[in-house]
Amino acid sequence: TGYQRRVRAGVTVDANALFDIQVKRIHEYKRQLLNILGVIHRYKTIINTKAEDRKNIVPRVCIFAGKAAPGYWRAKLIIKLINTVGSSINNDDGISNLLKVVFLPDYNVSLAEVIVPASDISQHISTAGTEASGTSNMKFALNAGLILGTWDGANIEIAEEVNAENMFLFGLKPDEVDKARGWGERPISSALADVLKFIQSGAFGEPYDTFKEILDPLWRGNDYYLVGQDFDSYLNAQKTIDATFRDKATWRKKMILTTAGMGKFSSDRTIKEYAEEIWHVKPCKLSPTDAPINTPSKSESHHEETKPDGVKHNESVDTKKSLHNESTVKTVSDKKHE
């Protein structure tokens, strides 16, 4: 199984497995629900595969993280479903390290600094047309993490820069979403029905009614965020990921091309465009008199002065520099307004 490490959530994972990561605010439109239903489908496929054939299965570590708004009950139900499913899968010795599910609590920047560089795949799977932009996909792609995503938000811009062939895109496009919502109730795919029945069976030790509020709309085939509509397309994209991951040369090529194509998303370019197009300001050029302050000599580095109270007071060079810098800043500012 290769090198193993116990991660923060107390789950031992195979570091050679494919790290499949979705970290973002928990919300129905961001579709963590689609992800965990896909995980259940993968789990069901593994346990239905003969032991001798499991050697062909790509091991996965599915990592979730993010927070829900305090009063957002459905989002909290999604978190509970992820943890409920993860607890059962992680304790199933029969599948070994072929699948692990981890929900990392208290997601923050420090945790992101560890998670983002670790990703092989990051998921950005919001319903098409719902994401204003999104920047986490940029962070993952800059760190050579390939994107599994919909035609939504910054995924579209990233595809223009890194080439859609180096991403794993699926699902309805924005102009198809309204039509799909207008179809009314319709039959759901057999794959999704099998997953829902598996939850109903009590396979994860929690009654179906616990999750009834977020799962019942899926049976009708017209859930607002179109999880059911995109489910089969999502599974097909996951199959493509598995096949590509086995081909290490192709996978590495996609990683390199992804990172190489992300230059457009530099903050330098962004700030320059804001300055030119929004703020309408120009760079302030410094004159020779605004050159950096020279480093003081040792004899000047410490000034000792006796005040009338008889106490010796030390004025550090740092204080002098601060005052000098303040004066310089004012000079530059004044010149800018002349």
Side-chain angles (χ1 to χ4, degrees), residues 295-320:
T295 304
S297 63
K298 289 184 178 179
S299 62
E300 299 174 324
S301 65
H302 196 274
H303 176 66
E304 190 171 83
E305 182 181 358
T306 303
K307 297 292 184 182
D309 59 9
V311 180
K312 291 182 178 180
H313 297 267
N314 296 329
E315 183 181 18
S316 68
V317 172
D318 286 341
T319 303
K320 289 181 178 179

Side-chain angles (χ1 to χ4, degrees), residues 185-189 192-200 208 212 214-223 228:
E185 293 190 19
R186 55 192 178 277
I188 61 174
S189 75
L192 179 56
D194 286 346
V195 167
L196 295 174
K197 289 175 184 176
F198 197 49
I199 298 171
Q200 279 184 329
Y208 175 87
K212 183 181 179 70
I214 57 174
L215 297 180
D216 269 3
L218 299 175
W219 282 109
R220 297 191 290 271
N222 66 343
D223 62 292

